[in-house]
Structures are given as C-alpha cells and as structure tokens.
Amino acid sequence: MPVVERNLVITNKVGLHARPARLLVQTAALFQSQILLQYGAQTVNAKSIVGVLRLGARCGSTIHLRAEGEDAEEAVRSIEELVQRNFDEGEEADRSQGESTTGISSEAPA
C-alpha cells in the first residue's frame, strides 16, 4: 500500500484551534487512507477532532503528516493545500470587510 509523508508548517496565526482542526478532520475523513499527524512525541489519527486538538500545534509548528492507503497521495495533497491556505482564515477577514456570507459584495459596481 502506498505511503506518503510530508512535513507541514502551521502558519495561521492561532494554530490548530477548533475551526482549523475541524476543517483538517473533515478533509481527512474524505479519504479511505489511514492518516496520522505527529507533533513532538504525540501521534494522532487525523480523523479524530479530539486527537488533532490534543496536539496543541501553534503557529510556526511543524507537523508530520503520514497517509497510508490507495488514496494516500490525494489525501496528503488535500491536507497540504488546506494548511497552505491557512485553513481559509483569510476569507473570514474578507467577509468582515464588505462581503456577505453568500460571497456577494456589498459594494456597488464601479
């Protein structure tokens, strides 16, 4: 079975708090592969919200991601993209500056 591993740096300012942890778990749950996260001496199932929160990874932390299974490459790629997008936390700031939650701007067209 394929095994894919990556080191990922958490760059969103609050680390793996509740919302990013939930997004990571939801993403991991889309795949059949066994997906593990390691931070320091702890290794947890990436499909477990309690496990991911227990890691306590903060901004600047490097976590080790390991997936084993037929869709391991796709799983790692999806989680890596989520981390690189800072768990889409920039979108929340955009919404508070003029966009509604539907993605429609409240500004009049130019």
Side-chain angles (χ1 to χ4, degrees):
M1 257 192 210
V3 175
V4 180
E5 300 185 50
R6 297 266 198 301
N7 286 323
L8 305 173
V9 178
I10 303 299
T11 56
N12 61 313
K13 61 182 174 181
V14 290
L16 281 180
H17 64 89
R19 186 184 161 283
R22 177 181 52 84
L23 291 173
L24 193 149
V25 169
Q26 287 175 336
T27 302
L30 298 173
F31 301 96
Q32 295 297 313
S33 292
Q34 178 187 30
I35 305 170
L36 301 174
L37 292 175
Q38 181 181 357
Y39 177 60
Q42 297 182 76
T43 300
V44 301
N45 180 346
K47 297 177 184 180
S48 164
I49 187 72
V50 173
V52 174
L53 286 170
R54 191 175 293 147
L55 287 176
R58 297 179 179 174
C59 182
S61 300
T62 299
I63 59 172
H64 183 76
L65 172 64
R66 182 181 194 276
E68 181 175 352
E70 294 304 318
D71 57 0
E73 183 65 46
E74 186 180 352
V76 167
R77 189 176 327 112
S78 292
I79 293 170
E80 183 175 32
E81 287 172 2
L82 179 66
V83 171
Q84 289 175 346
R85 293 191 324 256
N86 287 329
F87 301 92
D88 298 326
E89 288 189 343
E91 289 182 8
E92 288 180 0
D94 291 344
R95 276 199 288 269
S96 67
Q97 294 177 2
E99 289 187 15
S100 72
T101 56
T102 61
I104 300 170
S105 176
S106 60
E107 295 178 21

